Amino acid sequence: MGHDEPYRLIRRGARSEPPSAAFPHLIQVGEVTIGGSAPVVIAGPCAVENRAQTLGIARAVRAAGAQMLRGGAYKPRTSPHDFQGLGQAGLEILAEARAETGLPVVTEVMDPRLVERVARYADCLQIGARNMQNFPLLREVGRSGMPVLLKRHWGATLEEWLGAAEYIAAEGNLQIILCERGIRTFTQGGYNRFTLDLNVISAVQRETFLPVIVDPSHATGRAEMVPAAALAGIAAGAQGLIIEVMGEDADPERALCDGFQAITPAALREIVRRIRPAAAESDQRRNLPRPA
Ligand code: PEP
Ligand code: MN
């Protein structure tokens, strides 16, 4: 114990880990189970822009086979002059989308003072890449007792990322889903936005019993690259995907946030269809039982 065990609560072999690989650490978000052998697909807009947009996308992603809805009401933007999200109104729209579609909702919280409020509307709290080491925020979502989706910062080492998860665990909350969303390498600004770190998936699974999913949308920044990155993530052993989706006929130019990485519901449906064999394959490698 001590400095050589910076993430002792979430590491493989910790007392809190389920006793065998046949009983993985499962996270229950509403009716959805994350961390089992069936990969979970979370999909929705980058940002809640208005009621019609979000309800339309929510229906479309459910029809395409997604099991959870994503959408930002509080958006972390590089410039303060960019669209910051609808805030409270966005949360209400997300709650309405959940009521209508039955899809549990994950949405980002950026401010420790807003954790209680966001938790009243959401089923899972997202910690964005930029806030991965916002320690007061991590402690606050830990205390909320809600499932937490913890995105990796694009410059974070594995140890820093797991250390961040440990802050949530240290508040008694082990309902943590890790999310690889691309790291910064030398290729940015050319053909992609970030670089999907596929290697980290198996490294995470060696180090911790927490489930890990992949975000192919932010990892690439380009809709046409999303299907390959999604499939690769599942083939590498990721236990789910979180994908940005737009309306079938929406104009990427007019999206208020991340338009060029949003895929259509038809493309999402194709990803859902194609990940099934890839997931079975990676389960065999991880020796996880398939559901009956
Ligand atoms: C998002 O999910 O919309 C988002 C802002 O992602 P990240 O924090 O990974 O950049
Ligand atoms: Mn986004």
Side-chain angles (χ1 to χ4, degrees):
M1 292 284 173
H3 67 278
D4 57 328
E5 266 203 286
Y7 44 89
R8 68 189 67 154
L9 299 171
I10 61 165
R11 69 171 165 76
R12 286 253 172 238
R15 236 176 318 171
S16 36
E17 180 177 17
S20 86
F23 298 95
H25 179 71
L26 300 175
I27 316 254
Q28 200 65 36
V29 184
E31 309 269 279
V32 178
T33 304
I34 302 174
S37 56
V40 66
V41 176
I42 306 167
C46 175
V48 176
E49 297 186 8
N50 57 64
R51 185 171 173 272
Q53 169 248 17
T54 296
L55 290 181
I57 294 175
R59 291 182 199 116
V61 301
R62 190 187 59 174
Q67 297 118 298
M68 258 177 86
L69 178 66
R70 62 146 290 142
Y74 298 91
K75 294 304 300 177
R77 302 309 298 278
T78 301
S79 166
H81 309 300
D82 288 338
F83 175 60
Q84 303 286 303
L86 297 181
Q88 172 70 31
L91 294 176
E92 288 167 16
I93 291 170
L94 286 169
E96 189 180 346
R98 176 189 41 207
E100 195 195 301
T101 61
L103 298 176
V105 165
V106 58
T107 195
E108 179 161 354
V109 58
M110 296 194 291
D111 184 335
R113 295 167 298 187
L114 291 182
V115 168
E116 226 183 272
R117 181 200 294 199
V118 176
R120 277 202 298 276
Y121 293 88
D123 302 283
C124 180
L125 303 176
Q126 176 172 324
I127 300 297
R130 291 157 189 79
N131 274 309
M132 189 203 82
Q133 283 191 321
N134 182 335
F135 300 119
L137 180 62
L138 295 171
R139 287 198 188 279
E140 200 60 38
V141 297
R143 282 194 283 268
S144 76
M146 297 274 295
V148 178
L149 180 67
L150 177 64
K151 298 189 102 179
R152 178 193 190 182
H153 187 271
W154 53 79
T157 63
L158 177 59
E159 185 166 304
E160 288 162 345
W161 187 17
L162 297 183
E166 184 84 358
Y167 269 83
I168 300 167
E171 298 298 326
N173 185 354
L174 283 169
Q175 298 182 82
I176 307 163
I177 305 143
L178 299 166
C179 177
E180 157 62 24
R181 46 77 73 214
I183 56 170
R184 184 152 284 171
T185 69
F186 61 88
T187 66
Q188 268 72 61
Y191 57 85
N192 62 356
R193 187 177 179 193
F194 291 96
T195 297
L196 177 57
D197 183 7
L198 285 171
N199 300 345
V200 88
I201 303 301
S202 50
V204 162
Q205 289 168 341
R206 187 189 63 225
E207 290 297 312
T208 174
F209 56 84
L210 298 176
V212 59
I213 69 170
V214 157
D215 173 348
S217 305
H218 294 88
T220 60
R222 302 176 73 117
E224 73 274 16
M225 289 182 172
V226 166
L231 272 132
I234 295 295
Q239 286 137 310
L241 298 167
I242 180 164
I243 304 181
E244 290 186 350
V245 174
M246 61 182 184
E248 199 64 68
D249 300 313
D251 178 1
E253 296 266 9
R254 295 185 58 182
L256 297 178
C257 186
D258 288 350
F260 293 99
Q261 67 195 34
I263 62 170
T264 63
L268 179 68
R269 182 192 297 272
E270 184 61 10
I271 290 171
V272 169
R273 187 183 72 75
R274 289 179 66 191
I275 62 174
R276 285 196 200 112
E281 171 78 17
S282 70
D283 270 2
Q284 271 173 11
R285 273 186 273 123
R286 286 190 293 138
N287 266 325
L288 288 178
R290 299 291 300 164

